[in-house]
Amino acid sequence: GAGVSQSPSNKVTEKGKDVELRCDPISGHTALYWYRQRLGQGLEFLIYFQGNSAPDKSGLPSDRFSAERTGESVSTLTIQRTQQEDSAVYLCASSSAPTVYEQYFGPGTRLTVT
Amino acid sequence: QQQVKQSPQSLIVQKGGISIINCAYENTAFDYFPWYQQFPGKGPALLIAIRPDVSEKKEGRFTISFNKSAKQFSLHIMDSQPGDSATYFCAASPDSARQLTFGSGTQLTVLP
């Protein structure tokens, strides 16, 4: 079956512009996570969605970052007024369990802010 | 207290050798310890995971060793192959938590 897909695969934007990143989770997966991976570093948790529960936004670095998910489908991560330090690979993962077990990752969106 | 410290940052091993990557944590609430493998341009993929009720778990050529008292765990890759060349991340989480805390990664190169 299809895995987690993300679009675009690459995004170059100018400082100060807004960007939207999209994640299509595996069908039937109730949990969805966004992570950020800076060059040469590990993954930083950003936000978590589980079904219709309120999302866990504890990892969002600033109020310029927001994310939405409709039901158990597509999620979008929005970064407003992008800064150069936002340059990173943004990874989405989904899981069939309400806990962390077996998160399946997408290929990521590489964001470059010039 | 949420950090997971991973070493080495990079590792070069000859084909057939043993690759060993180590991680240490501080948060005693951590109860789930997975390892992820990431190839360039791809997302991380779960390789193997362990819970602290066992000291070792083996799957094929991959083994996790866990030392609860030392708060350390390690990944051993036996008979390392060039196809194992990738970046490896350890991670940890409390059992019922919603997100993983990742180490900084180890870039493994297996020479043919």
Side-chain angles (χ1 to χ4, degrees):
Chain A
V4 177
S5 60
Q6 292 186 245
S7 61
S9 55
N10 283 283
K11 176 71 176 179
V12 180
T13 189
E14 292 180 351
K15 178 181 174 180
K17 300 281 190 182
D18 297 352
V19 295
E20 275 193 1
L21 312 180
R22 176 186 170 109
C23 172
D24 283 87
I26 294 173
S27 178
H29 278 194
T30 58
L32 187 147
Y33 311 78
W34 283 97
Y35 292 87
R36 176 171 69 180
Q37 185 175 25
R38 289 194 165 117
L39 185 64
Q41 297 185 21
L43 283 71
E44 302 170 72
F45 166 75
L46 296 177
I47 189 169
Y48 160 79
F49 295 91
Q50 169 56 38
N52 293 318
S53 302
D56 178 352
K57 304 179 181 180
S58 61
L60 294 178
S62 78
D63 59 6
R64 297 187 295 105
F65 288 72
S66 62
E68 292 183 348
R69 186 185 188 196
T70 304
E72 296 180 356
S73 61
V74 170
S75 175
T76 56
L77 176 68
T78 302
I79 309 173
Q80 295 178 311
R81 305 181 302 281
T82 53
Q83 303 294 313
Q84 288 187 332
E85 61 263 29
D86 298 334
S87 296
V89 175
Y90 289 83
L91 289 156
C92 173
S94 70
S95 170
S96 61
T99 60
V100 299
Y101 307 136
E102 297 191 49
Q103 290 185 31
Y104 294 86
F105 283 84
T109 294
R110 181 175 297 278
L111 174 65
T112 303
V113 182
T114 61
Chain B
Q1 199 176 18
Q2 288 294 322
Q3 271 190 320
V4 176
K5 295 182 179 180
Q6 183 171 347
S7 63
Q9 186 174 12
S10 62
L11 180 62
I12 299 175
V13 174
Q14 293 285 342
K15 178 182 175 181
I18 301 173
S19 304
I20 302 174
I21 304 170
N22 301 298
C23 284
Y25 64 97
E26 291 294 325
N27 188 346
T28 55
F30 284 151
D31 199 41
Y32 171 69
F33 302 89
W35 284 89
Y36 280 80
Q37 179 188 56
Q38 185 177 30
F39 293 104
K42 304 289 186 181
L46 180 65
L47 190 62
I48 186 172
I50 197 169
R51 289 177 158 280
D53 52 346
V54 296
S55 60
E56 186 175 283
K57 182 174 181 180
K58 183 176 181 180
E59 291 185 1
R61 296 184 294 109
F62 301 91
T63 299
I64 299 179
S65 297
F66 185 83
N67 186 330
K68 187 173 182 177
S69 61
K71 290 185 285 186
Q72 295 176 347
F73 59 110
S74 60
L75 176 69
H76 295 231
I77 305 175
M78 311 299 288
D79 186 26
S80 298
Q81 300 296 312
D84 297 332
S85 297
T87 301
Y88 292 81
F89 293 96
C90 61
S93 176
D95 185 36
S96 59
R98 297 166 176 172
Q99 69 266 22
L100 292 162
T101 300
F102 283 84
S104 55
T106 296
Q107 186 167 352
L108 172 66
T109 302
V110 181
L111 300 176

Coordinates of all heavy atoms in Angstrom, one line a residue, chain B residues 19-94:
Chain B
S19 N 29.5 -2.8 13.7 CA 29.2 -1.4 13.9 C 28.5 -1.3 15.3 O 27.6 -2.0 15.5 CB 28.4 -0.8 12.8 OG 28.9 -1.0 11.5
I20 N 29.0 -0.3 16.1 CA 28.4 -0.1 17.4 C 28.1 1.4 17.6 O 29.0 2.2 17.4 CB 29.3 -0.6 18.5 CG1 29.7 -2.1 18.4 CG2 28.7 -0.3 19.9 CD1 30.7 -2.6 19.3
I21 N 26.9 1.7 17.9 CA 26.4 3.0 18.1 C 25.8 3.1 19.5 O 25.0 2.2 19.9 CB 25.4 3.5 17.0 CG1 26.0 3.3 15.6 CG2 25.0 4.9 17.3 CD1 25.0 3.5 14.5
N22 N 26.2 4.1 20.2 CA 25.7 4.2 21.6 C 24.8 5.4 21.9 O 25.0 6.5 21.3 CB 27.0 4.4 22.5 CG 27.9 3.2 22.4 OD1 27.5 2.0 22.7 ND2 29.1 3.4 21.9
C23 N 23.9 5.2 22.8 CA 23.0 6.4 23.2 C 22.9 6.3 24.7 O 22.9 5.3 25.4 CB 21.7 6.3 22.5 SG 21.7 6.8 20.8
A24 N 22.7 7.5 25.3 CA 22.5 7.7 26.7 C 21.4 8.6 27.0 O 21.2 9.6 26.2 CB 23.8 8.2 27.4
Y25 N 20.6 8.4 28.0 CA 19.5 9.3 28.3 C 19.5 9.6 29.8 O 20.1 9.0 30.6 CB 18.2 8.6 27.9 CG 17.9 7.3 28.7 CD1 17.0 7.3 29.8 CD2 18.4 6.1 28.3 CE1 16.8 6.1 30.5 CE2 18.2 4.9 28.9 CZ 17.3 5.0 30.0 OH 17.1 3.8 30.7
E26 N 18.7 10.6 30.2 CA 18.6 11.1 31.6 C 17.2 10.8 32.2 O 17.1 10.6 33.3 CB 18.9 12.6 31.7 CG 20.4 12.9 31.5 CD 21.3 12.3 32.5 OE1 20.9 12.2 33.7 OE2 22.4 11.9 32.2
N27 N 16.2 10.9 31.3 CA 14.8 10.8 31.8 C 14.5 9.4 32.1 O 14.3 8.6 31.3 CB 13.9 11.4 30.7 CG 12.5 11.5 31.2 OD1 12.1 11.0 32.2 ND2 11.7 12.2 30.4
T28 N 14.3 9.1 33.4 CA 14.0 7.8 33.9 C 12.6 7.4 33.5 O 12.2 6.2 33.6 CB 14.2 7.7 35.4 OG1 13.4 8.7 36.0 CG2 15.6 7.9 35.8
A29 N 11.8 8.3 33.0 CA 10.4 7.9 32.6 C 10.4 7.3 31.2 O 9.4 6.8 30.7 CB 9.5 9.2 32.6
F30 N 11.5 7.4 30.5 CA 11.6 6.8 29.1 C 11.4 5.3 29.3 O 12.0 4.6 30.1 CB 12.9 7.1 28.5 CG 13.1 8.5 27.9 CD1 14.3 9.1 27.8 CD2 12.0 9.2 27.5 CE1 14.4 10.4 27.3 CE2 12.1 10.5 27.0 CZ 13.3 11.1 26.9
D31 N 10.6 4.8 28.4 CA 10.2 3.4 28.5 C 10.1 2.6 27.2 O 9.7 1.5 27.1 CB 8.8 3.2 29.2 CG 8.6 1.9 29.8 OD1 9.5 1.3 30.4 OD2 7.4 1.4 29.6
Y32 N 10.6 3.3 26.1 CA 10.5 2.7 24.8 C 11.7 3.3 24.0 O 11.9 4.5 24.0 CB 9.2 3.1 24.1 CG 9.1 2.7 22.7 CD1 9.0 1.4 22.2 CD2 9.0 3.7 21.7 CE1 8.9 1.1 20.9 CE2 8.9 3.4 20.3 CZ 8.8 2.0 20.0 OH 8.7 1.7 18.6
F33 N 12.5 2.4 23.4 CA 13.8 2.9 22.8 C 13.9 2.3 21.4 O 14.4 1.1 21.2 CB 14.9 2.4 23.7 CG 14.8 2.9 25.1 CD1 14.2 2.2 26.1 CD2 15.4 4.2 25.4 CE1 14.1 2.7 27.4 CE2 15.3 4.7 26.7 CZ 14.6 3.9 27.7
P34 N 13.5 3.0 20.4 CA 13.6 2.5 19.0 C 14.9 3.0 18.3 O 15.5 4.1 18.8 CB 12.4 3.1 18.3 CG 12.2 4.4 19.0 CD 12.7 4.2 20.5
W35 N 15.3 2.3 17.3 CA 16.4 2.8 16.4 C 15.8 3.0 15.0 O 15.0 2.1 14.6 CB 17.5 1.8 16.4 CG 18.4 1.8 17.6 CD1 18.2 1.1 18.7 CD2 19.6 2.6 17.8 NE1 19.2 1.4 19.6 CE2 20.1 2.3 19.1 CE3 20.3 3.5 17.0 CZ2 21.2 2.9 19.6 CZ3 21.4 4.1 17.5 CH2 21.9 3.8 18.8
Y36 N 16.2 4.1 14.4 CA 15.7 4.4 13.0 C 16.9 4.4 12.1 O 18.0 4.9 12.5 CB 14.9 5.7 13.0 CG 13.5 5.6 13.5 CD1 13.2 5.6 14.8 CD2 12.5 5.5 12.6 CE1 11.9 5.5 15.3 CE2 11.1 5.4 13.0 CZ 10.9 5.4 14.3 OH 9.6 5.3 14.8
Q37 N 16.7 4.0 10.9 CA 17.7 4.0 9.8 C 17.2 5.0 8.7 O 16.0 4.9 8.3 CB 17.8 2.6 9.2 CG 18.8 2.5 8.1 CD 18.7 1.1 7.5 OE1 17.7 0.7 7.0 NE2 19.8 0.4 7.4
Q38 N 18.1 5.9 8.3 CA 17.7 6.9 7.3 C 18.7 6.9 6.2 O 19.9 7.2 6.4 CB 17.5 8.3 7.9 CG 17.0 9.3 6.9 CD 16.8 10.7 7.6 OE1 17.5 11.0 8.5 NE2 15.8 11.4 7.1
F39 N 18.2 6.7 4.9 CA 19.0 6.8 3.7 C 18.8 8.2 3.2 O 17.8 8.9 3.4 CB 18.6 5.8 2.7 CG 19.0 4.4 3.1 CD1 18.0 3.5 3.6 CD2 20.3 3.9 3.1 CE1 18.3 2.2 4.0 CE2 20.6 2.6 3.5 CZ 19.6 1.8 4.0
P40 N 19.8 8.7 2.4 CA 19.7 10.1 1.9 C 18.4 10.3 1.1 O 18.1 9.4 0.2 CB 21.0 10.2 1.0 CG 21.9 9.2 1.6 CD 21.1 8.1 2.1
G41 N 17.7 11.4 1.3 CA 16.5 11.7 0.6 C 15.3 10.9 1.0 O 14.2 11.1 0.4
K42 N 15.4 10.1 2.1 CA 14.3 9.3 2.5 C 14.0 9.7 4.0 O 14.8 10.3 4.7 CB 14.6 7.8 2.5 CG 15.1 7.3 1.1 CD 13.9 7.3 0.1 CE 14.3 6.7 -1.2 NZ 13.2 6.6 -2.2
G43 N 12.8 9.4 4.4 CA 12.4 9.5 5.8 C 13.0 8.4 6.6 O 13.3 7.3 6.1
P44 N 13.2 8.6 7.9 CA 13.6 7.5 8.8 C 12.7 6.3 8.8 O 11.5 6.5 8.6 CB 13.7 8.2 10.2 CG 13.6 9.6 9.9 CD 12.9 9.8 8.7
A45 N 13.2 5.1 8.9 CA 12.5 3.9 9.0 C 12.8 3.1 10.2 O 14.0 3.0 10.6 CB 12.7 3.0 7.7
L46 N 11.8 2.7 10.9 CA 12.0 1.9 12.2 C 12.8 0.6 11.9 O 12.5 -0.1 11.0 CB 10.7 1.5 12.8 CG 10.8 0.8 14.1 CD1 11.5 1.6 15.2 CD2 9.4 0.3 14.6
L47 N 13.9 0.5 12.6 CA 14.8 -0.7 12.4 C 14.5 -1.8 13.5 O 14.3 -2.9 13.2 CB 16.2 -0.2 12.5 CG 17.4 -1.1 12.1 CD1 17.3 -1.5 10.7 CD2 18.7 -0.4 12.4
I48 N 14.6 -1.4 14.7 CA 14.4 -2.3 15.8 C 14.1 -1.4 17.1 O 14.5 -0.3 17.1 CB 15.7 -3.1 16.0 CG1 15.5 -4.2 17.1 CG2 16.9 -2.3 16.3 CD1 16.7 -5.2 17.1
A49 N 13.4 -2.0 18.0 CA 13.0 -1.3 19.2 C 13.1 -2.2 20.4 O 12.9 -3.4 20.3 CB 11.7 -0.6 19.1
I50 N 13.3 -1.6 21.6 CA 13.3 -2.4 22.8 C 12.6 -1.7 24.0 O 12.5 -0.4 24.0 CB 14.8 -2.7 23.2 CG1 14.9 -3.8 24.2 CG2 15.5 -1.4 23.7 CD1 16.4 -4.3 24.4
R51 N 12.1 -2.4 24.9 CA 11.6 -1.9 26.2 C 12.5 -2.3 27.3 O 13.2 -3.4 27.2 CB 10.2 -2.4 26.4 CG 9.2 -1.9 25.5 CD 7.8 -2.5 25.7 NE 6.7 -1.7 25.3 CZ 6.2 -0.7 25.9 NH1 6.7 -0.3 27.1 NH2 5.1 -0.1 25.5
P52 N 12.6 -1.6 28.4 CA 13.6 -1.9 29.4 C 13.3 -3.1 30.2 O 14.1 -3.4 31.1 CB 13.5 -0.6 30.3 CG 12.2 0.0 30.0 CD 11.8 -0.4 28.6
D53 N 12.3 -3.9 29.9 CA 12.1 -5.2 30.7 C 13.0 -6.3 30.2 O 13.1 -7.4 30.7 CB 10.7 -5.6 30.6 CG 10.1 -5.7 29.2 OD1 10.7 -5.1 28.3 OD2 9.0 -6.3 29.0
V54 N 13.7 -6.0 29.0 CA 14.7 -7.0 28.6 C 16.1 -6.2 28.4 O 16.1 -5.0 28.2 CB 14.3 -7.7 27.2 CG1 13.1 -8.5 27.4 CG2 14.1 -6.6 26.1
S55 N 17.2 -7.0 28.4 CA 18.5 -6.3 28.3 C 19.0 -6.4 26.9 O 20.0 -5.7 26.5 CB 19.5 -7.0 29.3 OG 19.6 -8.4 29.0
E56 N 18.4 -7.2 26.1 CA 18.9 -7.4 24.7 C 17.8 -7.8 23.8 O 16.9 -8.6 24.2 CB 20.0 -8.4 24.7 CG 20.7 -8.6 23.3 CD 21.9 -9.5 23.4 OE1 23.0 -9.1 23.9 OE2 21.8 -10.6 22.9
K57 N 17.8 -7.3 22.5 CA 16.9 -7.8 21.5 C 17.6 -7.9 20.2 O 18.4 -7.0 19.8 CB 15.7 -6.8 21.4 CG 14.6 -7.3 20.4 CD 13.4 -6.3 20.4 CE 12.4 -6.8 19.4 NZ 11.2 -5.9 19.4
K58 N 17.4 -9.0 19.5 CA 18.1 -9.3 18.3 C 17.1 -9.5 17.2 O 16.2 -10.3 17.3 CB 19.0 -10.5 18.5 CG 19.9 -10.8 17.3 CD 20.8 -12.0 17.6 CE 21.7 -12.3 16.4 NZ 22.6 -13.5 16.7
E59 N 17.4 -8.9 16.0 CA 16.6 -9.1 14.8 C 17.6 -9.2 13.7 O 18.1 -8.2 13.2 CB 15.6 -8.0 14.6 CG 14.5 -8.0 15.6 CD 13.4 -7.0 15.3 OE1 13.5 -6.3 14.3 OE2 12.4 -6.9 16.1
G60 N 17.9 -10.4 13.2 CA 18.8 -10.6 12.2 C 20.2 -10.2 12.6 O 20.7 -10.6 13.6
R61 N 20.8 -9.3 11.8 CA 22.1 -8.8 12.1 C 22.1 -7.6 13.1 O 23.2 -7.2 13.5 CB 22.8 -8.4 10.8 CG 23.1 -9.5 9.8 CD 23.9 -9.1 8.6 NE 23.1 -8.1 7.8 CZ 23.4 -6.8 7.7 NH1 24.4 -6.3 8.4 NH2 22.7 -6.0 6.9
F62 N 21.0 -7.2 13.5 CA 20.8 -6.0 14.4 C 20.5 -6.4 15.8 O 19.6 -7.2 16.0 CB 19.8 -5.0 13.8 CG 20.1 -4.6 12.4 CD1 19.6 -5.3 11.3 CD2 20.9 -3.5 12.2 CE1 19.9 -4.8 10.0 CE2 21.1 -3.0 10.9 CZ 20.7 -3.7 9.8
T63 N 21.2 -5.9 16.7 CA 21.0 -6.2 18.2 C 20.9 -4.9 18.9 O 21.8 -4.0 18.7 CB 22.1 -7.1 18.7 OG1 22.1 -8.3 18.0 CG2 21.8 -7.4 20.2
I64 N 19.9 -4.7 19.8 CA 19.9 -3.6 20.8 C 20.4 -4.2 22.1 O 19.8 -5.2 22.6 CB 18.6 -3.0 21.0 CG1 18.1 -2.4 19.7 CG2 18.6 -1.9 22.0 CD1 16.7 -1.8 19.8
S65 N 21.3 -3.6 22.8 CA 21.7 -3.9 24.1 C 21.2 -2.7 25.0 O 21.4 -1.6 24.7 CB 23.2 -4.1 24.3 OG 23.6 -5.2 23.5
F66 N 20.6 -3.1 26.2 CA 20.0 -2.0 27.0 C 20.6 -2.2 28.4 O 20.5 -3.3 29.0 CB 18.5 -2.2 27.0 CG 17.8 -1.1 27.8 CD1 17.6 0.1 27.2 CD2 17.4 -1.3 29.1 CE1 17.0 1.2 27.9 CE2 16.8 -0.3 29.8 CZ 16.5 0.9 29.2
N67 N 21.0 -1.1 29.0 CA 21.5 -1.1 30.4 C 20.7 -0.1 31.2 O 21.0 1.1 31.1 CB 23.0 -0.8 30.4 CG 23.6 -0.9 31.8 OD1 23.0 -0.7 32.8 ND2 24.9 -1.2 31.9
K68 N 19.7 -0.6 31.9 CA 18.8 0.3 32.6 C 19.5 1.1 33.7 O 19.3 2.3 33.9 CB 17.6 -0.4 33.2 CG 16.5 0.4 33.7 CD 15.3 -0.4 34.1 CE 14.2 0.5 34.6 NZ 13.0 -0.3 35.0
S69 N 20.4 0.5 34.5 CA 21.0 1.2 35.6 C 22.0 2.3 35.1 O 22.1 3.3 35.7 CB 21.8 0.2 36.4 OG 22.8 -0.5 35.7
A70 N 22.6 2.1 33.9 CA 23.5 3.1 33.4 C 22.7 4.1 32.5 O 23.3 5.0 32.0 CB 24.6 2.4 32.6
K71 N 21.5 3.8 32.2 CA 20.7 4.6 31.3 C 21.3 4.7 30.0 O 21.5 5.9 29.4 CB 20.3 6.0 32.0 CG 19.4 5.8 33.1 CD 19.0 7.2 33.7 CE 20.1 7.8 34.5 NZ 19.7 9.0 35.2
Q72 N 21.7 3.6 29.4 CA 22.4 3.6 28.1 C 21.8 2.4 27.3 O 21.4 1.4 27.8 CB 23.9 3.4 28.3 CG 24.6 4.5 29.0 CD 26.1 4.2 29.3 OE1 26.5 3.1 29.1 NE2 26.8 5.3 29.6
F73 N 21.8 2.6 26.0 CA 21.5 1.6 25.1 C 22.3 1.7 23.8 O 22.7 2.8 23.5 CB 20.0 1.5 24.8 CG 19.4 2.8 24.2 CD1 18.9 2.8 22.9 CD2 19.2 3.9 25.0 CE1 18.3 3.9 22.4 CE2 18.6 5.1 24.4 CZ 18.2 5.1 23.1
S74 N 22.5 0.6 23.1 CA 23.4 0.6 22.0 C 22.8 -0.3 20.9 O 22.1 -1.2 21.1 CB 24.8 0.2 22.3 OG 24.8 -1.1 22.9
L75 N 23.2 0.1 19.7 CA 22.9 -0.7 18.5 C 24.1 -1.4 18.0 O 25.2 -0.7 17.8 CB 22.3 0.2 17.4 CG 22.0 -0.5 16.0 CD1 20.8 -1.5 16.2 CD2 21.7 0.5 15.0
H76 N 24.1 -2.7 17.8 CA 25.2 -3.5 17.2 C 24.7 -4.0 15.8 O 23.7 -4.6 15.8 CB 25.6 -4.6 18.1 CG 26.1 -4.2 19.4 ND1 27.3 -4.7 19.9 CD2 25.6 -3.4 20.4 CE1 27.5 -4.1 21.1 NE2 26.5 -3.3 21.4
I77 N 25.5 -3.7 14.8 CA 25.2 -4.3 13.5 C 26.4 -5.3 13.2 O 27.5 -4.9 13.0 CB 25.2 -3.2 12.4 CG1 24.2 -2.1 12.8 CG2 24.8 -3.8 11.1 CD1 24.2 -0.9 11.8
M78 N 26.0 -6.6 13.2 CA 27.0 -7.6 12.9 C 27.1 -7.8 11.4 O 26.2 -7.5 10.6 CB 26.5 -8.9 13.5 CG 26.0 -8.8 15.0 SD 27.3 -8.3 16.1 CE 28.3 -9.8 16.1
D79 N 28.3 -8.3 11.0 CA 28.6 -8.5 9.6 C 28.1 -7.3 8.7 O 27.3 -7.5 7.8 CB 27.9 -9.8 9.2 CG 28.2 -10.2 7.8 OD1 29.3 -9.9 7.3 OD2 27.4 -10.9 7.1
S80 N 28.6 -6.2 9.1 CA 28.2 -4.9 8.4 C 28.4 -5.0 6.9 O 29.4 -5.5 6.4 CB 28.9 -3.7 9.0 OG 28.6 -3.6 10.3
Q81 N 27.4 -4.5 6.1 CA 27.5 -4.5 4.7 C 27.4 -3.1 4.1 O 26.9 -2.2 4.7 CB 26.3 -5.3 4.2 CG 26.3 -6.8 4.6 CD 27.4 -7.6 4.1 OE1 27.8 -7.5 2.9 NE2 28.1 -8.3 5.0
P82 N 28.0 -2.9 2.9 CA 27.9 -1.6 2.3 C 26.5 -1.0 2.2 O 26.3 0.2 2.4 CB 28.5 -1.8 0.9 CG 29.5 -2.9 1.1 CD 28.8 -3.8 2.1
G83 N 25.5 -1.9 2.1 CA 24.1 -1.5 2.0 C 23.6 -1.0 3.4 O 22.5 -0.4 3.4
D84 N 24.3 -1.2 4.4 CA 24.0 -0.7 5.7 C 24.4 0.8 5.9 O 24.0 1.5 6.9 CB 24.6 -1.5 6.9 CG 24.2 -2.9 6.9 OD1 23.1 -3.2 6.5 OD2 25.0 -3.8 7.3
S85 N 25.2 1.3 4.9 CA 25.6 2.7 5.0 C 24.4 3.6 5.0 O 23.6 3.6 4.0 CB 26.5 3.0 3.8 OG 27.7 2.2 3.9
A86 N 24.2 4.4 6.1 CA 23.1 5.2 6.3 C 23.3 6.0 7.6 O 24.3 5.9 8.2 CB 21.8 4.3 6.4
T87 N 22.3 6.8 7.9 CA 22.4 7.5 9.2 C 21.4 6.8 10.1 O 20.3 6.5 9.8 CB 22.0 9.0 9.0 OG1 22.8 9.7 8.1 CG2 22.0 9.7 10.4
Y88 N 21.9 6.6 11.3 CA 21.1 5.8 12.3 C 20.8 6.8 13.5 O 21.7 7.5 14.0 CB 21.9 4.6 12.8 CG 22.1 3.6 11.8 CD1 23.1 3.7 10.8 CD2 21.2 2.5 11.7 CE1 23.2 2.8 9.8 CE2 21.3 1.5 10.7 CZ 22.3 1.7 9.7 OH 22.4 0.8 8.7
F89 N 19.6 6.8 13.9 CA 19.1 7.6 15.0 C 18.6 6.7 16.1 O 17.7 5.8 15.9 CB 18.0 8.5 14.6 CG 18.4 9.6 13.6 CD1 18.2 9.4 12.2 CD2 18.9 10.8 14.0 CE1 18.6 10.4 11.3 CE2 19.3 11.8 13.1 CZ 19.1 11.6 11.8
C90 N 19.0 7.0 17.3 CA 18.3 6.4 18.5 C 17.2 7.3 18.9 O 17.2 8.5 18.6 CB 19.3 6.1 19.6 SG 20.1 7.5 20.3
A91 N 16.2 6.8 19.6 CA 15.2 7.7 20.1 C 14.6 7.0 21.4 O 15.0 5.9 21.8 CB 14.0 7.8 19.1
A92 N 13.8 7.8 22.1 CA 13.3 7.3 23.4 C 12.0 8.1 23.6 O 11.8 9.2 23.2 CB 14.3 7.6 24.5
S93 N 11.1 7.4 24.4 CA 9.9 8.0 24.8 C 9.3 7.3 26.0 O 9.5 6.1 26.2 CB 8.9 7.9 23.6 OG 7.6 8.4 24.0
P94 N 8.6 8.0 26.9 CA 7.8 7.4 27.9 C 6.7 6.5 27.2 O 6.3 6.8 26.1 CB 7.1 8.5 28.7 CG 8.0 9.7 28.4 CD 8.5 9.5 27.0

